[in-house]
Amino acid sequence: MNVKEIMDTEFIAVSANMTIIEASIKMEAHKRFTTPVLDNRKRLIGWITSLDVTRGFRENHKIVSDIMHSKNDIVHVYENEPARIAVLAASKHKVVSIPVLDSEDKVVGEVRTFDIVETLSKLYEIKVYKIFEAVVNELKGVTWEELMEASAIITRRETGKPVTAKEYEQRIKKSTFGEAIWATGGLEKFFVGFIAIGELVIARKVAKARK
Amino acid sequence: MNVKEIMDTEFIAVSANMTIIEASIKMEAHKRFTTPVLDNRKRLIGWITSLDVTRGFRENHKIVSDIMHSKNDIVHVYENEPARIAVLAASKHKVVSIPVLDSEDKVVGEVRTFDIVETLSKLYEIKVYKIFEAVVNELKGVTWEELMEASAIITRRETGKPVTAKEYEQRIKKSTFGEAIWATGGLEKFFVGFIAIGELVIARKVAKARK
């Protein structure tokens, strides 16, 4: 997945000689805390935030160039870079939005942190039973009931608490991958439990085949 | 994981009768686009953003209560709710920050979207070989070399491209879980490939035990 696929192409922009009054009206109308400053060929030359604007009003500045940060002082990414570059940049620099450039330094979009949250949380929101369904389809010769039975056995062994195959099935129909990771104590532990289930179910499949 | 564990306890706050000039200075100093408005018992009564402040300056308002949104109009979460509630709220309402309340409606922190990105991206940034290490530790009787060999076989089968066990090992030492999910085409497909590797390595382990 590239930056291009997670960027928002509906962004606003201002020019360096626009008044800060005009810029503030535009930012408020579109509910943007930040906006790129572009030259007349749509290339990125700077960046302003609504906090630069409030300071500008207090200190009686008039135009965008009086308050803007130059291009060199801000984070930006290119549309064909891997999406994780934008994710890491947002996390490291703690910014709400990152301008996305094409190969000619023209601004073609913005990656906004809540878009990243949406993309990342989709992963978390996958229901665990979807993963188990994919596994049953892959493991020819293993039924859904056998997988649930093995899962209940491993879960009982690891938690020390009674759980039936039916109860386990109900649980994974409700819980998401994100919840499962948090519940098991991290991704590695989730995989360890998962492979333990896999080992049991495969061992049973092999034993059945030998009969 | 609860909201409490991902919230930022270093937040700023303003009062309803503070001037918007004072509020803007505080927000700029702490680089905050938003701030909760608290009563004298630290309970949440409203919320302002830096865009409310720019509008306030233009329209000649004087104090915070002139420009604030009331508590009922903003998203908020409670510290003991699951963290995913805050993640979903940030994604759904496209906000940069969500106030966190205790059981008495006092503000005890804020969940900021880039904190969520940091938390979620940590999952992505786990190297794939860490997961394989956990699996080898769980699968007693299977060596690291056998796991790499099985992985290379499955990868060759699925991609049709030659890859040796050594090359596969190099690949997973470099790549992260996030990259692996994107490369395989989604979480379910990742698990299908993963279980195929598991099945092969377990079948070989069983075959070895029978000799």
Side-chain angles (χ1 to χ4, degrees), chain B residues 159-179:
Chain B
T159 64
K161 290 176 192 159
V163 56
T164 67
K166 262 284 167 265
E167 285 162 352
Y168 188 88
E169 183 177 12
Q170 289 308 312
R171 199 182 288 176
I172 63 166
K173 282 203 168 158
K174 268 185 271 168
S175 71
T176 63
F177 181 60
E179 289 169 325

Side-chain angles (χ1 to χ4, degrees), chain B residues 43-57:
Chain B
R43 288 176 307 196
L44 184 70
I45 54 169
W47 189 256
I48 59 170
T49 76
S50 51
L51 295 173
D52 300 318
V53 178
T54 58
R55 183 177 55 82
F57 278 133

Side-chain angles (χ1 to χ4, degrees), chain B residues 142-165:
Chain B
V142 171
T143 67
W144 177 257
E145 287 68 29
E146 287 165 342
L147 184 61
M148 291 302 103
E149 186 57 41
S151 301
I153 291 169
I154 296 296
T155 306
R156 284 199 295 269
R157 195 167 77 191
E158 285 179 9
T159 64
K161 290 176 192 159
V163 56
T164 67

